């Protein structure tokens, strides 16, 4: 009986250890003014698509990705461990055209995705596109959107987008 309990506890503990190591970040990340490190990674959820980042205080001070008139833009994803837990594959990409961060009603098209099961750490370019007709209307300049990305490892973050005139 004791050995079954010990084995069960070890399996559960190992599962939590794997989960804690699953980290990937998409840059330029909302609220990040320095190079990304493992501790900057967020866990997007339906209740908090940008994780624990305060959108209002970081939107206009974060680096924005310039989005040309065709809606296609490139961001970089970096993983901090290999395997599916450190996946660079985006499984959900949403956008809030108002950049408030409370509602993400539009799905982005991921044209070039990252690796599901990378053998090690590294970075890849992701090519993403705003759907036709999406108008970014947020921020002090009135031309910003907020994109939320989630990886197969369930990590991710938000990125500020700025539409070209």
């Amino acid at each position: 009986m004791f050995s079954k309990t010990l084995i069960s506890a070890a399996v559960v503990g190992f599962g939590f250890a794997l989960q804690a190591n699953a980290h990937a970040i998409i840059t330029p990340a909302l609220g990040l003014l320095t190079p990304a490190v493992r501790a900057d990674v967020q866990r997007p959820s339906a209740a908090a698509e940008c994780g624990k980042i305060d959108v209002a205080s970081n939107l206009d001070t974060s680096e924005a990705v310039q989005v040309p008139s065709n809606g296609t833009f490139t961001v970089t994803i970096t993983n901090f461990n290999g395997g599916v837990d450190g996946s660079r594959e985006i499984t959900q990409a949403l956008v809030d055209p108002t950049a408030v961060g409370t509602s993400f009603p539009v799905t982005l098209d991921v044209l070039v995705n990252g690796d599901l099961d990378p053998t090690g750490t590294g970075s890849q370019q992701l090519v993403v596109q705003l759907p036709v007709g999406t108008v970014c209307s947020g921020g002090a300049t009135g031309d910003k959107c907020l994109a939320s990305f989630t990886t197969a490892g369930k990590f991710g973050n938000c990125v500020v987008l700025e539409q070209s005139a």
Side-chain angles (χ1 to χ4, degrees):
M1 182 66 163
F2 176 73
S3 64
K4 287 183 183 178
T5 303
L6 183 61
I7 290 171
S8 295
V11 168
V12 169
F14 182 68
F16 283 128
L18 284 177
Q19 187 177 21
N21 288 327
H23 291 82
I25 192 166
I26 299 86
T27 55
L30 174 70
L32 188 60
L33 301 176
T34 58
V37 295
R38 182 184 200 99
D40 294 322
V41 176
Q42 299 292 311
R43 275 194 174 273
S45 69
E49 288 290 344
C50 297
K52 296 178 182 178
I53 302 296
D54 180 355
V55 173
S57 64
N58 287 286
L59 181 70
D60 288 315
T61 58
S62 295
E63 180 182 347
V65 175
Q66 298 302 306
V67 181
S69 59
N70 70 1
T72 302
F73 61 94
T74 302
V75 291
T76 301
I77 186 165
T78 302
N79 68 317
F80 297 97
N81 64 296
V84 176
D85 287 332
S87 179
R88 294 187 297 246
E89 181 178 285
I90 299 299
T91 57
Q92 180 173 281
L94 304 172
V95 69
D96 172 2
T98 65
V100 174
T102 55
S103 175
F104 289 76
V106 179
T107 300
L108 294 165
D109 297 318
V110 180
L111 305 176
V112 177
N113 210 336
D115 292 334
L116 171 64
D117 189 7
T119 58
T121 60
S123 298
Q124 286 180 278
Q125 298 293 299
L126 305 174
V127 179
V128 186
Q129 187 170 37
L130 282 171
V132 173
T134 303
V135 176
C136 296
S137 61
T141 55
D143 60 355
K144 292 181 180 169
C145 284
L146 197 56
S148 173
F149 295 96
T150 305
T151 68
K154 304 298 181 209
F155 283 87
N157 56 277
C158 285
V159 172
V160 178
L161 307 177
E162 187 170 30
Q163 276 183 323
S164 300

